[in-house]
Amino acid sequence: MSIASVNYSSNGAVSPEPEFPSAQLSIRNVTKVFAGKRDIFSKLSGKTSRDFVAIEDISLDIEPNTFVSIIGPSGCGKSTLLNMVAGLSPVSQGEILLNGSPITGPGPDRGMVFQNYALMPWMTVEENIRFAVETVFSKLSPKQINRAIKEQIQLVGLEGAEKKHPHELSGGMRQRVGIARALAINPQILLMDEPFGALDALTRGFLQSEVERIWEQQRKTVIMITHSIEEALLLSDRIVMMTRGPAARVDEILEVPFPRPRDRNTIDQHPAYHDLKAEMESHLFRETRAVEESRIR
Amino acid sequence: MAVSQPTLTKTKGANGSAPWLNENVKALGLFIISLVLFLLFWEIGANLKLFAKGMPTASKTLQELWWWSTHPFFDNGPNDLGIGWNLLISLRRVAIGYFLASAIAVPLGILIGISPIAYKAFNPYVQLLKPVSPLAWLPLGLYIFRDSEKTGIFIILISSIWPTLINTAFGVANVNPEYLDVSKTLGASRIRTIFKVIIPAALPNIVSGLRISMGISWLVIVAAEMLLGTGLGYFIWNEWNNLYIPNILVAIFIIGLVGLILDNIFGALEKFVAFGRKA
Ligand SMILES: Nc1ncnc2c1ncn2[C@@H]1O[C@H](COP(=O)(O)OP(=O)(O)OP(=O)(O)O)[C@@H](O)[C@H]1O
Ligand SMILES: [Mg+2]
């Protein structure tokens, strides 16, 4: 990677010696409260709402070069947690440390992959990636920028589609662009919020294998939200299972011991596979049933 | 696959519709038939004096249309000017007023749209002024400028500013938040976000605002010119004073045609900036 040598401190994000050498990202007693509406206009229109505690007192340490999946019932606060790590949404209590320094806002040391791709429709594939590279590495020469873009396009297998606009691409191709754009800024951590959620099963399986291949090459720290047990088992080193909201917590963290590189066709032959799967299924089933029951009452 | 191919062509043939008889061809046929019927009805009706007294026949009107369009540029003084000159005069007024309006509305709309507070604070002004009839501004314009030319441009400006302003502000205020998140996670500066993300994202709204404004300008100019000295509106007014209806019909046709062309230009522009989005 030619852009790996660029110093991040020029972009305002600092990377001093880590306080806790083992943890790259450290989430400490984080709580998220969405403030209710209590201003005069809401009071006059009778539309006041109470504070909502989405996440309560979550702590989690993530070592470098690990692939972490977060799984939990729908609406439990997974996106909320990821957005706080991304710096898009402030923490209400506690703190999140990246290499020992607290996260105060978004920054290019964390790359984000969005569920609905979030590609700029007016930019071609190449321009979408270029926007990211030029924003983050504004000091590079045009030649270096072009090389960095080309590298990413090759990495995710988008050769030949450079001049196409997103609306001319399939969902799978679009998410490749999304991944390439996130990787192009050479982040320390890759954040993915249900990256394959909008894809059909076949494309999904194919892209999972692609992500597995790319991850073997770069071994970046990844935090991925998913609803799919198989996906989590195929890709992750650790799986974080969250309880239902409100005031969601971390219920349990599973270590996934399968050797790498992994193959989706043979992974279920590992002796621990079915136990892990059964454990996750029962957790998700229990939490989802509780959510549904609380809805009926 | 090889089996399904022949059945596919067979079902198409079985439908019995020849390939050249598609929807567009049918619509064109219906259009021509209805036009012929309309002209026949008009011609016969006018000859039988079924309509108002002095109503010209279709053939007379078409003759006039032919004459005016083959002699567009002659100049025998302000009351006898070729229709081409009048058209150019009207277009020039529209162009100046519309350009000024857009040059104000687009940047102002962007500024208002970027700030949610400004958006809410300035909305009442826009909503109040938008529905005012353009002609209500005429006396004010004449009083301020004491000049018919400037008044015409002023009226175009004041009535075509609102749709562009509203649409621009709306488009900017409602940019897909995901695009802004992308920009934020990359650490893009505010200026870079505005020029590289917010404005391009709002462009479909801006262009449809410009399209509506153009339509309004063209509507307003004809009405305003009836009270001014030259242009297509004055041409109609003048022919009304001469009580020569065929020329009025000719002018109506030309005004409609030019409006149609202008609208199509902006329609094409809308498609050009859409990139698969619906405006
Ligand atoms: N801006 C907000 N204001 C108020 N409440 C919010 C806001 N954003 C999210 N919430 C609430 O916080 C809870 C968690 O939302 P979040 O989107 O993080 O869930 P999720 O786990 O990502 O769900 P899903 O699996 O459906 O994506 C939900 O109950 C949601 O209604
Ligand atoms: Mg979510």
Side-chain angles (χ1 to χ4, degrees), chain A residues 106-108 114 118-119 121-123 131-132 134-136 165 167 181 185, chain B residues 178-179 181-186 188 192 196-197 200-201 275-277:
Chain A
F114 296 82
L119 303 177
W122 59 92
M123 294 182 186
F131 174 67
E134 283 182 351
T135 306
V136 177
H165 284 90
H167 71 277
R181 179 177 61 187
I185 61 171
Chain B
E178 285 201 335
Y179 301 159
D181 282 351
V182 169
S183 199
K184 275 188 220 153
T185 52
L186 294 171
R192 188 170 166 81
K196 288 276 182 175
V197 179
F275 294 113
R277 289 171 288 182

PDB file of all heavy atoms in Angstrom, chain A residues 106-108 114 118-119 121-123 131-132 134-136 165 167 181 185, chain B residues 178-179 181-186 188 192 196-197 200-201 275-277:
ATOM      1  N   PRO A 106     -15.958  12.416  14.231  1.00  0.00           N
ATOM      2  CA  PRO A 106     -15.574  11.514  13.147  1.00  0.00           C
ATOM      3  C   PRO A 106     -14.178  11.847  12.631  1.00  0.00           C
ATOM      4  O   PRO A 106     -13.714  12.974  12.781  1.00  0.00           O
ATOM      5  CB  PRO A 106     -16.638  11.776  12.063  1.00  0.00           C
ATOM      6  CG  PRO A 106     -17.198  13.107  12.371  1.00  0.00           C
ATOM      7  CD  PRO A 106     -17.021  13.354  13.840  1.00  0.00           C
ATOM      8  N   GLY A 107     -13.539  10.878  12.027  1.00  0.00           N
ATOM      9  CA  GLY A 107     -12.208  11.123  11.491  1.00  0.00           C
ATOM     10  C   GLY A 107     -11.792   9.994  10.582  1.00  0.00           C
ATOM     11  O   GLY A 107     -12.342   8.894  10.654  1.00  0.00           O
ATOM     12  N   PRO A 108     -10.807  10.257   9.715  1.00  0.00           N
ATOM     13  CA  PRO A 108     -10.411   9.262   8.718  1.00  0.00           C
ATOM     14  C   PRO A 108      -9.599   8.102   9.281  1.00  0.00           C
ATOM     15  O   PRO A 108      -9.170   7.251   8.519  1.00  0.00           O
ATOM     16  CB  PRO A 108      -9.586  10.090   7.723  1.00  0.00           C
ATOM     17  CG  PRO A 108      -9.111  11.252   8.502  1.00  0.00           C
ATOM     18  CD  PRO A 108     -10.111  11.527   9.574  1.00  0.00           C
ATOM     19  N   PHE A 114     -21.546   1.627   4.743  1.00  0.00           N
ATOM     20  CA  PHE A 114     -22.948   1.846   5.096  1.00  0.00           C
ATOM     21  C   PHE A 114     -23.840   0.749   4.506  1.00  0.00           C
ATOM     22  O   PHE A 114     -23.545   0.194   3.445  1.00  0.00           O
ATOM     23  CB  PHE A 114     -23.415   3.202   4.570  1.00  0.00           C
ATOM     24  CG  PHE A 114     -22.693   4.364   5.189  1.00  0.00           C
ATOM     25  CD1 PHE A 114     -21.441   4.759   4.724  1.00  0.00           C
ATOM     26  CD2 PHE A 114     -23.251   5.068   6.240  1.00  0.00           C
ATOM     27  CE1 PHE A 114     -20.764   5.814   5.292  1.00  0.00           C
ATOM     28  CE2 PHE A 114     -22.575   6.131   6.816  1.00  0.00           C
ATOM     29  CZ  PHE A 114     -21.330   6.509   6.336  1.00  0.00           C
ATOM     30  N   ALA A 118     -24.476   4.381   0.490  1.00  0.00           N
ATOM     31  CA  ALA A 118     -24.186   5.815   0.620  1.00  0.00           C
ATOM     32  C   ALA A 118     -23.160   6.284  -0.405  1.00  0.00           C
ATOM     33  O   ALA A 118     -22.251   7.043  -0.088  1.00  0.00           O
ATOM     34  CB  ALA A 118     -23.732   6.158   2.041  1.00  0.00           C
ATOM     35  N   LEU A 119     -23.311   5.812  -1.645  1.00  0.00           N
ATOM     36  CA  LEU A 119     -22.447   6.329  -2.713  1.00  0.00           C
ATOM     37  C   LEU A 119     -23.064   7.597  -3.266  1.00  0.00           C
ATOM     38  O   LEU A 119     -24.275   7.738  -3.307  1.00  0.00           O
ATOM     39  CB  LEU A 119     -22.314   5.292  -3.828  1.00  0.00           C
ATOM     40  CG  LEU A 119     -21.787   3.927  -3.414  1.00  0.00           C
ATOM     41  CD1 LEU A 119     -21.783   2.986  -4.600  1.00  0.00           C
ATOM     42  CD2 LEU A 119     -20.394   4.048  -2.818  1.00  0.00           C
ATOM     43  N   PRO A 121     -24.493   9.579  -6.012  1.00  0.00           N
ATOM     44  CA  PRO A 121     -24.999   9.120  -7.315  1.00  0.00           C
ATOM     45  C   PRO A 121     -24.416   9.893  -8.491  1.00  0.00           C
ATOM     46  O   PRO A 121     -24.377   9.371  -9.606  1.00  0.00           O
ATOM     47  CB  PRO A 121     -26.512   9.345  -7.233  1.00  0.00           C
ATOM     48  CG  PRO A 121     -26.794   9.947  -5.916  1.00  0.00           C
ATOM     49  CD  PRO A 121     -25.528  10.124  -5.147  1.00  0.00           C
ATOM     50  N   TRP A 122     -23.976  11.126  -8.260  1.00  0.00           N
ATOM     51  CA  TRP A 122     -23.479  11.933  -9.377  1.00  0.00           C
ATOM     52  C   TRP A 122     -22.000  11.668  -9.660  1.00  0.00           C
ATOM     53  O   TRP A 122     -21.455  12.204 -10.597  1.00  0.00           O
ATOM     54  CB  TRP A 122     -23.702  13.421  -9.105  1.00  0.00           C
ATOM     55  CG  TRP A 122     -23.015  13.894  -7.861  1.00  0.00           C
ATOM     56  CD1 TRP A 122     -21.769  14.423  -7.772  1.00  0.00           C
ATOM     57  CD2 TRP A 122     -23.529  13.844  -6.527  1.00  0.00           C
ATOM     58  NE1 TRP A 122     -21.464  14.697  -6.465  1.00  0.00           N
ATOM     59  CE2 TRP A 122     -22.525  14.365  -5.678  1.00  0.00           C
ATOM     60  CE3 TRP A 122     -24.739  13.419  -5.964  1.00  0.00           C
ATOM     61  CZ2 TRP A 122     -22.705  14.456  -4.306  1.00  0.00           C
ATOM     62  CZ3 TRP A 122     -24.901  13.514  -4.602  1.00  0.00           C
ATOM     63  CH2 TRP A 122     -23.896  14.027  -3.793  1.00  0.00           C
ATOM     64  N   MET A 123     -21.367  10.867  -8.836  1.00  0.00           N
ATOM     65  CA  MET A 123     -19.958  10.552  -9.052  1.00  0.00           C
ATOM     66  C   MET A 123     -19.846   9.145  -9.631  1.00  0.00           C
ATOM     67  O   MET A 123     -20.588   8.250  -9.252  1.00  0.00           O
ATOM     68  CB  MET A 123     -19.189  10.591  -7.727  1.00  0.00           C
ATOM     69  CG  MET A 123     -19.091  11.949  -7.076  1.00  0.00           C
ATOM     70  SD  MET A 123     -18.105  11.806  -5.572  1.00  0.00           S
ATOM     71  CE  MET A 123     -18.284  13.452  -4.894  1.00  0.00           C
ATOM     72  N   PHE A 131     -12.969  10.974  -4.225  1.00  0.00           N
ATOM     73  CA  PHE A 131     -13.426  11.956  -3.238  1.00  0.00           C
ATOM     74  C   PHE A 131     -12.856  11.625  -1.862  1.00  0.00           C
ATOM     75  O   PHE A 131     -12.362  12.507  -1.155  1.00  0.00           O
ATOM     76  CB  PHE A 131     -14.959  11.972  -3.197  1.00  0.00           C
ATOM     77  CG  PHE A 131     -15.533  12.845  -2.118  1.00  0.00           C
ATOM     78  CD1 PHE A 131     -15.388  14.215  -2.175  1.00  0.00           C
ATOM     79  CD2 PHE A 131     -16.213  12.290  -1.041  1.00  0.00           C
ATOM     80  CE1 PHE A 131     -15.906  15.023  -1.176  1.00  0.00           C
ATOM     81  CE2 PHE A 131     -16.730  13.094  -0.044  1.00  0.00           C
ATOM     82  CZ  PHE A 131     -16.568  14.459  -0.113  1.00  0.00           C
ATOM     83  N   ALA A 132     -12.896  10.337  -1.514  1.00  0.00           N
ATOM     84  CA  ALA A 132     -12.363   9.928  -0.210  1.00  0.00           C
ATOM     85  C   ALA A 132     -10.860  10.156  -0.147  1.00  0.00           C
ATOM     86  O   ALA A 132     -10.343  10.754   0.805  1.00  0.00           O
ATOM     87  CB  ALA A 132     -12.697   8.465   0.045  1.00  0.00           C
ATOM     88  N   GLU A 134      -8.855  12.058  -1.968  1.00  0.00           N
ATOM     89  CA  GLU A 134      -8.437  13.468  -2.026  1.00  0.00           C
ATOM     90  C   GLU A 134      -8.770  14.216  -0.743  1.00  0.00           C
ATOM     91  O   GLU A 134      -8.064  15.147  -0.353  1.00  0.00           O
ATOM     92  CB  GLU A 134      -9.097  14.173  -3.223  1.00  0.00           C
ATOM     93  CG  GLU A 134      -8.419  13.826  -4.532  1.00  0.00           C
ATOM     94  CD  GLU A 134      -9.031  14.559  -5.715  1.00  0.00           C
ATOM     95  OE1 GLU A 134     -10.084  15.213  -5.543  1.00  0.00           O
ATOM     96  OE2 GLU A 134      -8.457  14.464  -6.805  1.00  0.00           O
ATOM     97  N   THR A 135      -9.883  13.818  -0.102  1.00  0.00           N
ATOM     98  CA  THR A 135     -10.237  14.483   1.144  1.00  0.00           C
ATOM     99  C   THR A 135      -9.216  14.171   2.229  1.00  0.00           C
ATOM    100  O   THR A 135      -8.776  15.050   2.962  1.00  0.00           O
ATOM    101  CB  THR A 135     -11.630  14.022   1.615  1.00  0.00           C
ATOM    102  OG1 THR A 135     -12.554  14.233   0.557  1.00  0.00           O
ATOM    103  CG2 THR A 135     -12.076  14.797   2.828  1.00  0.00           C
ATOM    104  N   VAL A 136      -8.826  12.894   2.298  1.00  0.00           N
ATOM    105  CA  VAL A 136      -7.985  12.470   3.406  1.00  0.00           C
ATOM    106  C   VAL A 136      -6.495  12.718   3.129  1.00  0.00           C
ATOM    107  O   VAL A 136      -5.762  13.149   4.004  1.00  0.00           O
ATOM    108  CB  VAL A 136      -8.236  10.980   3.720  1.00  0.00           C
ATOM    109  CG1 VAL A 136      -7.315  10.495   4.816  1.00  0.00           C
ATOM    110  CG2 VAL A 136      -9.686  10.793   4.125  1.00  0.00           C
ATOM    111  N   HIS A 165     -21.683   5.009 -13.189  1.00  0.00           N
ATOM    112  CA  HIS A 165     -22.308   5.651 -12.040  1.00  0.00           C
ATOM    113  C   HIS A 165     -23.010   4.590 -11.193  1.00  0.00           C
ATOM    114  O   HIS A 165     -23.424   3.557 -11.734  1.00  0.00           O
ATOM    115  CB  HIS A 165     -23.301   6.718 -12.503  1.00  0.00           C
ATOM    116  CG  HIS A 165     -22.633   7.972 -12.982  1.00  0.00           C
ATOM    117  ND1 HIS A 165     -22.274   8.157 -14.295  1.00  0.00           N
ATOM    118  CD2 HIS A 165     -22.230   9.092 -12.323  1.00  0.00           C
ATOM    119  CE1 HIS A 165     -21.687   9.335 -14.419  1.00  0.00           C
ATOM    120  NE2 HIS A 165     -21.638   9.928 -13.244  1.00  0.00           N
ATOM    121  N   HIS A 167     -25.943   4.080 -10.144  1.00  0.00           N
ATOM    122  CA  HIS A 167     -27.242   3.531 -10.549  1.00  0.00           C
ATOM    123  C   HIS A 167     -27.125   2.542 -11.691  1.00  0.00           C
ATOM    124  O   HIS A 167     -28.091   1.859 -12.015  1.00  0.00           O
ATOM    125  CB  HIS A 167     -28.223   4.657 -10.895  1.00  0.00           C
ATOM    126  CG  HIS A 167     -27.928   5.386 -12.172  1.00  0.00           C
ATOM    127  ND1 HIS A 167     -27.011   6.406 -12.263  1.00  0.00           N
ATOM    128  CD2 HIS A 167     -28.417   5.241 -13.417  1.00  0.00           C
ATOM    129  CE1 HIS A 167     -26.953   6.853 -13.496  1.00  0.00           C
ATOM    130  NE2 HIS A 167     -27.790   6.168 -14.217  1.00  0.00           N
ATOM    131  N   ARG A 181     -14.101   2.450  -0.969  1.00  0.00           N
ATOM    132  CA  ARG A 181     -13.992   3.830  -0.504  1.00  0.00           C
ATOM    133  C   ARG A 181     -13.545   3.877   0.954  1.00  0.00           C
ATOM    134  O   ARG A 181     -12.711   4.710   1.333  1.00  0.00           O
ATOM    135  CB  ARG A 181     -15.343   4.543  -0.645  1.00  0.00           C
ATOM    136  CG  ARG A 181     -15.313   5.969  -0.151  1.00  0.00           C
ATOM    137  CD  ARG A 181     -16.619   6.665  -0.373  1.00  0.00           C
ATOM    138  NE  ARG A 181     -17.702   6.019   0.341  1.00  0.00           N
ATOM    139  CZ  ARG A 181     -18.981   6.338   0.219  1.00  0.00           C
ATOM    140  NH1 ARG A 181     -19.324   7.307  -0.609  1.00  0.00           N
ATOM    141  NH2 ARG A 181     -19.901   5.711   0.889  1.00  0.00           N
ATOM    142  N   ILE A 185      -8.946   5.110   2.367  1.00  0.00           N
ATOM    143  CA  ILE A 185      -8.350   6.118   3.241  1.00  0.00           C
ATOM    144  C   ILE A 185      -7.416   5.462   4.259  1.00  0.00           C
ATOM    145  O   ILE A 185      -6.933   6.116   5.165  1.00  0.00           O
ATOM    146  CB  ILE A 185      -9.435   6.952   3.952  1.00  0.00           C
ATOM    147  CG1 ILE A 185     -10.316   6.059   4.820  1.00  0.00           C
ATOM    148  CG2 ILE A 185     -10.281   7.702   2.939  1.00  0.00           C
ATOM    149  CD1 ILE A 185     -11.275   6.832   5.708  1.00  0.00           C
TER     150      ILE A 185
ATOM    151  N   GLU B 178     -26.998  10.413   4.853  1.00  0.00           N
ATOM    152  CA  GLU B 178     -25.896   9.460   4.693  1.00  0.00           C
ATOM    153  C   GLU B 178     -24.726  10.085   3.930  1.00  0.00           C
ATOM    154  O   GLU B 178     -23.577   9.808   4.226  1.00  0.00           O
ATOM    155  CB  GLU B 178     -26.371   8.213   3.951  1.00  0.00           C
ATOM    156  CG  GLU B 178     -27.218   7.308   4.828  1.00  0.00           C
ATOM    157  CD  GLU B 178     -27.269   5.884   4.301  1.00  0.00           C
ATOM    158  OE1 GLU B 178     -27.076   5.701   3.085  1.00  0.00           O
ATOM    159  OE2 GLU B 178     -27.491   4.974   5.109  1.00  0.00           O
ATOM    160  N   TYR B 179     -25.039  10.930   2.931  1.00  0.00           N
ATOM    161  CA  TYR B 179     -23.956  11.581   2.193  1.00  0.00           C
ATOM    162  C   TYR B 179     -23.155  12.471   3.132  1.00  0.00           C
ATOM    163  O   TYR B 179     -21.928  12.559   3.042  1.00  0.00           O
ATOM    164  CB  TYR B 179     -24.498  12.439   1.041  1.00  0.00           C
ATOM    165  CG  TYR B 179     -25.323  11.705   0.018  1.00  0.00           C
ATOM    166  CD1 TYR B 179     -26.218  12.407  -0.793  1.00  0.00           C
ATOM    167  CD2 TYR B 179     -25.229  10.343  -0.156  1.00  0.00           C
ATOM    168  CE1 TYR B 179     -26.989  11.755  -1.740  1.00  0.00           C
ATOM    169  CE2 TYR B 179     -26.002   9.677  -1.090  1.00  0.00           C
ATOM    170  CZ  TYR B 179     -26.880  10.387  -1.879  1.00  0.00           C
ATOM    171  OH  TYR B 179     -27.646   9.747  -2.797  1.00  0.00           O
ATOM    172  N   ASP B 181     -22.876  12.009   6.357  1.00  0.00           N
ATOM    173  CA  ASP B 181     -22.111  11.126   7.234  1.00  0.00           C
ATOM    174  C   ASP B 181     -20.814  10.678   6.556  1.00  0.00           C
ATOM    175  O   ASP B 181     -19.762  10.634   7.194  1.00  0.00           O
ATOM    176  CB  ASP B 181     -22.947   9.893   7.614  1.00  0.00           C
ATOM    177  CG  ASP B 181     -23.969  10.215   8.705  1.00  0.00           C
ATOM    178  OD1 ASP B 181     -23.895  11.323   9.264  1.00  0.00           O
ATOM    179  OD2 ASP B 181     -24.826   9.363   8.992  1.00  0.00           O
ATOM    180  N   VAL B 182     -20.937  10.342   5.261  1.00  0.00           N
ATOM    181  CA  VAL B 182     -19.732   9.955   4.515  1.00  0.00           C
ATOM    182  C   VAL B 182     -18.713  11.075   4.592  1.00  0.00           C
ATOM    183  O   VAL B 182     -17.545  10.876   4.932  1.00  0.00           O
ATOM    184  CB  VAL B 182     -20.083   9.663   3.044  1.00  0.00           C
ATOM    185  CG1 VAL B 182     -18.815   9.525   2.210  1.00  0.00           C
ATOM    186  CG2 VAL B 182     -20.913   8.400   2.934  1.00  0.00           C
ATOM    187  N   SER B 183     -19.173  12.278   4.307  1.00  0.00           N
ATOM    188  CA  SER B 183     -18.294  13.436   4.310  1.00  0.00           C
ATOM    189  C   SER B 183     -17.659  13.641   5.690  1.00  0.00           C
ATOM    190  O   SER B 183     -16.473  13.926   5.806  1.00  0.00           O
ATOM    191  CB  SER B 183     -19.114  14.651   3.892  1.00  0.00           C
ATOM    192  OG  SER B 183     -18.293  15.660   3.463  1.00  0.00           O
ATOM    193  N   LYS B 184     -18.475  13.458   6.732  1.00  0.00           N
ATOM    194  CA  LYS B 184     -17.963  13.649   8.091  1.00  0.00           C
ATOM    195  C   LYS B 184     -16.933  12.592   8.451  1.00  0.00           C
ATOM    196  O   LYS B 184     -15.883  12.907   9.016  1.00  0.00           O
ATOM    197  CB  LYS B 184     -19.127  13.569   9.093  1.00  0.00           C
ATOM    198  CG  LYS B 184     -19.861  14.882   9.289  1.00  0.00           C
ATOM    199  CD  LYS B 184     -20.841  14.722  10.447  1.00  0.00           C
ATOM    200  CE  LYS B 184     -22.138  15.424  10.157  1.00  0.00           C
ATOM    201  NZ  LYS B 184     -23.287  14.840  10.865  1.00  0.00           N
ATOM    202  N   THR B 185     -17.235  11.323   8.136  1.00  0.00           N
ATOM    203  CA  THR B 185     -16.282  10.274   8.521  1.00  0.00           C
ATOM    204  C   THR B 185     -14.964  10.436   7.782  1.00  0.00           C
ATOM    205  O   THR B 185     -13.932   9.990   8.261  1.00  0.00           O
ATOM    206  CB  THR B 185     -16.829   8.853   8.240  1.00  0.00           C
ATOM    207  OG1 THR B 185     -17.255   8.797   6.885  1.00  0.00           O
ATOM    208  CG2 THR B 185     -17.974   8.507   9.141  1.00  0.00           C
ATOM    209  N   LEU B 186     -14.996  11.082   6.609  1.00  0.00           N
ATOM    210  CA  LEU B 186     -13.743  11.328   5.901  1.00  0.00           C
ATOM    211  C   LEU B 186     -13.027  12.553   6.455  1.00  0.00           C
ATOM    212  O   LEU B 186     -11.895  12.836   6.092  1.00  0.00           O
ATOM    213  CB  LEU B 186     -14.008  11.530   4.405  1.00  0.00           C
ATOM    214  CG  LEU B 186     -14.541  10.316   3.652  1.00  0.00           C
ATOM    215  CD1 LEU B 186     -14.966  10.703   2.255  1.00  0.00           C
ATOM    216  CD2 LEU B 186     -13.491   9.226   3.594  1.00  0.00           C
ATOM    217  N   ALA B 188     -13.999  15.702   5.887  1.00  0.00           N
ATOM    218  CA  ALA B 188     -13.998  16.773   4.890  1.00  0.00           C
ATOM    219  C   ALA B 188     -14.343  18.106   5.536  1.00  0.00           C
ATOM    220  O   ALA B 188     -15.140  18.166   6.477  1.00  0.00           O
ATOM    221  CB  ALA B 188     -15.005  16.453   3.787  1.00  0.00           C
ATOM    222  N   ARG B 192     -15.630  22.060   1.553  1.00  0.00           N
ATOM    223  CA  ARG B 192     -15.548  20.929   0.633  1.00  0.00           C
ATOM    224  C   ARG B 192     -16.864  20.160   0.623  1.00  0.00           C
ATOM    225  O   ARG B 192     -17.348  19.747  -0.432  1.00  0.00           O
ATOM    226  CB  ARG B 192     -14.396  20.015   1.048  1.00  0.00           C
ATOM    227  CG  ARG B 192     -14.117  18.915   0.039  1.00  0.00           C
ATOM    228  CD  ARG B 192     -12.824  18.181   0.376  1.00  0.00           C
ATOM    229  NE  ARG B 192     -12.703  16.941  -0.377  1.00  0.00           N
ATOM    230  CZ  ARG B 192     -12.290  16.859  -1.636  1.00  0.00           C
ATOM    231  NH1 ARG B 192     -11.951  17.955  -2.278  1.00  0.00           N
ATOM    232  NH2 ARG B 192     -12.227  15.706  -2.255  1.00  0.00           N
ATOM    233  N   LYS B 196     -18.762  19.840  -2.797  1.00  0.00           N
ATOM    234  CA  LYS B 196     -18.611  18.511  -3.406  1.00  0.00           C
ATOM    235  C   LYS B 196     -19.797  17.608  -3.102  1.00  0.00           C
ATOM    236  O   LYS B 196     -20.014  16.625  -3.805  1.00  0.00           O
ATOM    237  CB  LYS B 196     -17.326  17.852  -2.894  1.00  0.00           C
ATOM    238  CG  LYS B 196     -16.077  18.476  -3.459  1.00  0.00           C
ATOM    239  CD  LYS B 196     -15.780  17.865  -4.816  1.00  0.00           C
ATOM    240  CE  LYS B 196     -14.500  18.443  -5.377  1.00  0.00           C
ATOM    241  NZ  LYS B 196     -14.131  17.785  -6.629  1.00  0.00           N
ATOM    242  N   VAL B 197     -20.518  17.895  -2.025  1.00  0.00           N
ATOM    243  CA  VAL B 197     -21.596  16.976  -1.638  1.00  0.00           C
ATOM    244  C   VAL B 197     -22.958  17.668  -1.657  1.00  0.00           C
ATOM    245  O   VAL B 197     -23.865  17.251  -2.374  1.00  0.00           O
ATOM    246  CB  VAL B 197     -21.333  16.372  -0.236  1.00  0.00           C
ATOM    247  CG1 VAL B 197     -22.472  15.451   0.168  1.00  0.00           C
ATOM    248  CG2 VAL B 197     -20.012  15.614  -0.239  1.00  0.00           C
ATOM    249  N   PRO B 200     -24.077  19.348  -5.302  1.00  0.00           N
ATOM    250  CA  PRO B 200     -24.421  18.313  -6.293  1.00  0.00           C
ATOM    251  C   PRO B 200     -25.624  17.474  -5.872  1.00  0.00           C
ATOM    252  O   PRO B 200     -26.439  17.095  -6.716  1.00  0.00           O
ATOM    253  CB  PRO B 200     -23.164  17.446  -6.369  1.00  0.00           C
ATOM    254  CG  PRO B 200     -22.075  18.250  -5.810  1.00  0.00           C
ATOM    255  CD  PRO B 200     -22.681  19.211  -4.845  1.00  0.00           C
ATOM    256  N   ALA B 201     -25.743  17.198  -4.570  1.00  0.00           N
ATOM    257  CA  ALA B 201     -26.872  16.380  -4.122  1.00  0.00           C
ATOM    258  C   ALA B 201     -28.188  17.125  -4.318  1.00  0.00           C
ATOM    259  O   ALA B 201     -29.222  16.528  -4.587  1.00  0.00           O
ATOM    260  CB  ALA B 201     -26.699  15.995  -2.650  1.00  0.00           C
ATOM    261  N   PHE B 275     -29.011  11.210 -12.564  1.00  0.00           N
ATOM    262  CA  PHE B 275     -28.219  10.023 -12.272  1.00  0.00           C
ATOM    263  C   PHE B 275     -29.041   8.970 -11.539  1.00  0.00           C
ATOM    264  O   PHE B 275     -28.654   8.491 -10.473  1.00  0.00           O
ATOM    265  CB  PHE B 275     -26.974  10.375 -11.454  1.00  0.00           C
ATOM    266  CG  PHE B 275     -26.002  11.220 -12.189  1.00  0.00           C
ATOM    267  CD1 PHE B 275     -25.769  12.527 -11.784  1.00  0.00           C
ATOM    268  CD2 PHE B 275     -25.341  10.735 -13.311  1.00  0.00           C
ATOM    269  CE1 PHE B 275     -24.875  13.326 -12.475  1.00  0.00           C
ATOM    270  CE2 PHE B 275     -24.445  11.522 -13.989  1.00  0.00           C
ATOM    271  CZ  PHE B 275     -24.224  12.827 -13.579  1.00  0.00           C
ATOM    272  N   GLY B 276     -30.172   8.638 -12.113  1.00  0.00           N
ATOM    273  CA  GLY B 276     -30.978   7.574 -11.539  1.00  0.00           C
ATOM    274  C   GLY B 276     -31.859   7.998 -10.390  1.00  0.00           C
ATOM    275  O   GLY B 276     -32.635   7.206  -9.887  1.00  0.00           O
ATOM    276  N   ARG B 277     -31.754   9.250  -9.944  1.00  0.00           N
ATOM    277  CA  ARG B 277     -32.623   9.709  -8.866  1.00  0.00           C
ATOM    278  C   ARG B 277     -33.902  10.272  -9.460  1.00  0.00           C
ATOM    279  O   ARG B 277     -33.926  10.728 -10.583  1.00  0.00           O
ATOM    280  CB  ARG B 277     -31.959  10.827  -8.057  1.00  0.00           C
ATOM    281  CG  ARG B 277     -30.822  10.348  -7.205  1.00  0.00           C
ATOM    282  CD  ARG B 277     -30.090  11.517  -6.609  1.00  0.00           C
ATOM    283  NE  ARG B 277     -29.307  12.219  -7.613  1.00  0.00           N
ATOM    284  CZ  ARG B 277     -28.538  13.266  -7.349  1.00  0.00           C
ATOM    285  NH1 ARG B 277     -28.494  13.754  -6.141  1.00  0.00           N
ATOM    286  NH2 ARG B 277     -27.839  13.845  -8.302  1.00  0.00           N
TER     287      ARG B 277
END
